């Protein structure tokens, strides 16, 4: 029986994975690894390879579901970021998304995956809503980062889709964990910069959050109000609505 195309490509993907890992090791920068911890990035399996270098490697590798899976399974920090860069969104399954998000151990890996590939799956809005309710810090962060990415990139989504996300922003704004509260703030600001109508809804949400008896909520709200009320932001949104 003839093997399926993914099986035919598997040996080639394995060789490419080995080559890429050798390339990552050759670019290893111990000083960068030491500095990662200062920015809240887990350096345990990292080589300190820069994002520009990873993007260049991704361009050379091309899109490949099989290679992305192998790179992820390596457990190497930069290999996993690279996996998100070369993964084919149409090949992603919900099971794979859940596996990847459960493996997150650094905020940068979370953010890169959400921006490079997770936002491109058809059920991204539902996944953002679900992850916002999860207790794990980086899974919960992923929900809000995904919402922020969708606000920027999903040009076809309705305002109602983002109003739904704002309800979760408001509900979870009192979570004081650093990586969560910063992502809540990011989602609130990006939704509020999508258009004039959502700017108004986001500001209303932010004013309600500011009244909460929680230090993190007050920070989330005050920072968002400052940006979303900025005349330059308002002017840009008015210009884009014409």
């Amino acid at each position: 029986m003839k093997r399926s195309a993914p099986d035919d490509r598997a040996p080639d993907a394995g060789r490419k994975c080995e080559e890429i890992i050798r390339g990552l090791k050759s670019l290893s920068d111990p000083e960068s690894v030491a500095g990662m911890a200062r920015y809240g990035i887990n350096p345990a399996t990292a080589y300190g390879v820069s994002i520009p270098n990873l993007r260049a490697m991704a361009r050379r590798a091309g899109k490949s579901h099989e290679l992305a899976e192998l790179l992820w399974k390596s457990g190497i920090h930069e290999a996993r970021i690279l996996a998100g860069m070369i993964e084919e969104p149409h090949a992603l399954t919900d099971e794979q998304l859940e596996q990847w998000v459960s493996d997150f151990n650094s905020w940068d890996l979370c953010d890169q995956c959400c921006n490079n590939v997770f936002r491109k799956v058809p059920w991204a809005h539902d996944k953002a809503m679900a992850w916002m309710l999860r207790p794990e810090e980086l899974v919960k962060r992923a929900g809000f980062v995904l919402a922020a990415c969708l606000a920027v990139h999903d040009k076809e989504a309705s305002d109602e889709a983002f109003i739904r996300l704002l309800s979760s922003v408001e509900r979870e704004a009192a979570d004081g964990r650093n990586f969560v509260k910063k992502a809540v703030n990011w989602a609130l600001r990006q939704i509020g910069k999508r258009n004039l109508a959502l700017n108004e809804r986001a500001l209303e949400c932010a004013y309600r959050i500011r009244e909460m008896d929680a230090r993190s909520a007050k920070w989330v709200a005050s920072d968002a109000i400052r940006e979303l009320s900025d005349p330059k932001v308002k002017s840009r949104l008015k210009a884009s609505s014409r």
Side-chain angles (χ1 to χ4, degrees):
M1 180 184 293
K2 187 180 184 299
R3 285 185 170 186
S4 64
D7 288 335
D8 290 340
R9 291 195 295 267
D12 185 51
R15 287 192 293 271
K16 284 187 176 180
C17 182
E18 292 173 359
E19 291 173 5
I20 287 171
I21 290 174
R22 286 197 296 270
L24 291 173
K25 289 179 179 177
S26 73
L27 294 170
S28 179
D29 184 347
E31 288 188 9
S32 293
V33 173
M36 292 168 78
R38 294 195 294 272
Y39 291 96
I41 299 171
N42 189 333
T45 61
Y47 290 139
V49 182
S50 69
I51 292 297
N53 277 329
L54 292 178
R55 289 194 183 115
M57 294 176 79
R59 286 193 295 271
R60 291 194 295 271
K63 296 293 184 181
S64 170
H65 175 64
E66 291 78 15
L67 179 56
E69 286 194 308
L70 291 174
L71 288 169
W72 191 271
K73 289 176 182 177
S74 75
I76 298 167
H77 183 73
E78 289 85 357
R80 285 183 163 177
I81 291 177
L82 189 55
M85 292 178 175
I86 68 170
E87 179 59 281
E88 300 172 284
H90 70 270
L92 277 169
T93 64
D94 191 67
E95 181 181 5
Q96 183 180 341
L97 256 69
E98 289 296 337
Q99 180 60 61
W100 283 25
V101 79
S102 70
D103 288 338
F104 286 166
N105 64 352
S106 287
W107 65 264
D108 63 326
L109 177 59
C110 167
D111 295 6
Q112 287 290 331
C113 285
C114 288
N115 191 51
N116 291 326
V117 66
F118 288 179
R119 67 176 175 83
K120 299 176 183 178
V121 302
W123 65 98
H125 283 264
D126 291 337
K127 193 53 65 177
M129 289 286 290
W131 287 343
M132 287 172 174
L133 301 177
R134 292 272 292 272
E136 309 97 307
E137 184 171 9
L138 289 172
V139 177
K140 193 168 186 176
R141 177 184 175 87
F144 291 103
V145 172
L146 187 52
C149 294
L150 289 167
V152 174
H153 297 287
D154 189 354
K155 305 302 182 184
E156 303 302 318
S158 66
D159 285 1
E160 288 71 23
F162 291 101
I163 290 169
R164 285 179 64 231
L165 292 171
L166 280 176
S167 67
S168 293
V169 168
E170 184 171 347
R171 184 181 60 244
E172 303 300 327
D175 192 318
R177 290 176 294 179
N178 191 47
F179 295 137
V180 175
K181 73 176 185 180
K182 288 185 176 180
V184 172
N185 171 264
W186 188 7
L188 179 57
R189 289 185 293 108
Q190 291 305 132
I191 292 172
K193 291 187 290 184
R194 187 173 167 87
N195 59 45
L196 277 174
L198 285 173
N199 179 267
E200 182 177 342
R201 296 297 289 263
L203 276 168
E204 291 171 357
C205 179
Y207 284 120
R208 289 193 298 271
I209 290 172
R210 193 170 64 176
E211 297 305 310
M212 293 180 181
D213 186 21
R215 189 173 182 179
S216 60
K218 294 183 185 301
W219 176 82
V220 165
S222 297
D223 185 72
I225 290 168
R226 187 182 309 111
E227 181 169 359
L228 298 180
S229 300
D230 190 300
K232 292 181 181 178
V233 172
K234 296 279 192 180
S235 178
R236 178 180 62 78
L237 293 175
K238 286 178 182 177
S240 63
S241 67
R242 292 171 187 163

